Amino acid sequence: MIITIDGPAGSGKSTAARKLAARLGIPYLDTGAMYRVVTLLALEAEVDLGDEPALQRLAESNAYRLDPGPTHIRVTVGDRDVTEEIRSMRVSEHTRFIAASPAVRTVLVRKQRELGVRLGSIVTEGRDQGSVAFPHADVKFFLTADVAHRAERRYHELIAEGEDVTQEEVLRNVQERDQTDTARSVAPLVRPDGAIEIDTSRLSIQQVLEEMLHSLHDAGLVNADQLNDDHSAANAGRIGD
Ligand code: C5P
């Protein structure tokens, strides 16, 4: 079973994907983490962010590893755990250049499909999961929220992670990312065909999760027991990116 969740920065995709995957007991794939780790590698190796062949080599390399699990994804570079580091403002500010690279996108989409085949069932989230990577997914969701709510969520997350940022900086970053994610020529952020849209601006994570589970139930993918099973880590908590 492949479930895709796409949407802009701060729409609640990651939290929703994690909670849904935990509830279903299947891995979740955070494809933003793939673009982020390639960005980190490019910054550390001082690769020109416009050098397509060099970026393609980095994306294809075995220098990084993603281990998707049902509650979180672990990202490593050699022996180094970079799961937190790839969420820093420095990486966030540069990821859009990597995400605009056709060569990197081709490699990462291929890797995402390979993971889908290897894992069999996944909840995968990003910008192009329902539109490009998995157009034949069993169910596709598109999450939205107004920009002020999304920036506020990101700000609280970054502060909780110890980053020294202002609300204005985070709002600017989210707006810039919206602009480049929707305007880029390769795989721009769009609502995928057939996707179920959920506006999360005024919803708690529990409400978002319930809407998704009801859609899966309507599609015949979860039974009534799974719909009502609340023993997982799927309830409560702040909605995140
Ligand atoms: O989801 P997250 O904010 O971690 O993604 C970081 C960046 O990676 C996004 O701003 C976007 O530019 C890019 N991205 C993408 N396609 C995806 C996932 C992320 O272009 N499937």
Side-chain angles (χ1 to χ4, degrees):
M1 168 168 57
I2 306 280
I3 299 169
T4 62
I5 306 181
D6 292 295
S11 58
K13 298 182 307 293
S14 295
T15 315
R18 268 199 305 273
K19 301 281 184 192
L20 186 61
R23 175 65 80 92
L24 300 175
I26 62 177
Y28 104 95
L29 179 61
D30 168 3
T31 60
M34 301 172 95
Y35 291 90
R36 287 173 179 274
V37 70
V38 174
T39 306
L40 179 70
L41 288 172
L43 290 173
E44 289 186 343
E46 295 182 14
V47 169
D48 181 331
L49 299 188
D51 183 345
E52 283 283 293
L55 294 179
Q56 179 172 356
R57 278 195 298 277
L58 273 185
E60 273 174 343
S61 76
N62 294 324
Y64 65 95
R65 206 183 133 89
L66 279 95
D67 295 304
T71 54
H72 81 295
I73 190 162
R74 185 161 172 265
V75 187
T76 44
V77 170
D79 291 337
R80 221 168 104 214
D81 187 328
V82 296
T83 312
E84 298 289 319
E85 203 174 336
I86 58 167
R87 318 239 153 247
S88 66
M89 269 300 263
R90 177 167 171 259
V91 172
S92 294
E93 276 166 2
H94 292 91
T95 307
R96 59 202 163 101
F97 301 107
I98 301 296
S101 153
V104 171
R105 296 205 78 87
T106 302
V107 173
L108 295 188
V109 166
R110 194 185 68 225
K111 289 192 175 206
Q112 289 153 17
R113 290 179 178 152
E114 284 168 3
L115 274 167
V117 170
R118 181 157 66 77
L119 297 169
S121 284
I122 47 168
V123 176
T124 178
E125 57 107 344
R127 304 295 190 288
D128 60 346
Q129 294 303 283
S131 54
V132 176
F134 300 100
H136 304 298
D138 295 274
V139 175
K140 304 177 193 179
F141 292 103
F142 188 65
L143 267 50
T144 58
D146 56 59
V147 70
H149 275 92
R150 294 191 283 117
E152 200 189 325
R153 285 174 187 156
R154 287 296 291 151
Y155 172 72
H156 287 296
E157 274 178 5
L158 288 164
I159 292 294
E161 285 158 17
E163 288 258 344
D164 181 19
V165 286
T166 66
Q167 249 167 315
E168 291 68 34
E169 281 167 344
V170 177
L171 178 62
R172 217 172 27 247
N173 176 256
V174 168
Q175 285 169 329
E176 276 169 10
R177 287 208 278 155
D178 280 359
Q179 165 63 21
T180 44
D181 285 347
T182 50
R184 69 170 167 243
S185 52
V186 267
L189 173 68
V190 289
R191 178 188 156 151
D193 275 349
I196 298 162
E197 186 163 337
I198 303 177
D199 183 339
T200 68
S201 306
R202 281 163 195 80
L203 298 181
S204 68
I205 179 57
Q206 184 63 17
Q207 289 169 317
V208 174
L209 180 66
E210 270 163 25
E211 278 208 27
M212 291 181 150
L213 284 167
H214 276 103
S215 300
L216 295 181
H217 183 250
D218 292 346
L221 294 169
V222 301
N223 58 35
D225 287 347
Q226 285 173 298
L227 194 60
N228 299 316
D229 169 20
D230 211 5
H231 299 301
S232 64
N235 50 355
R238 169 179 285 281
I239 198 161
D241 191 15

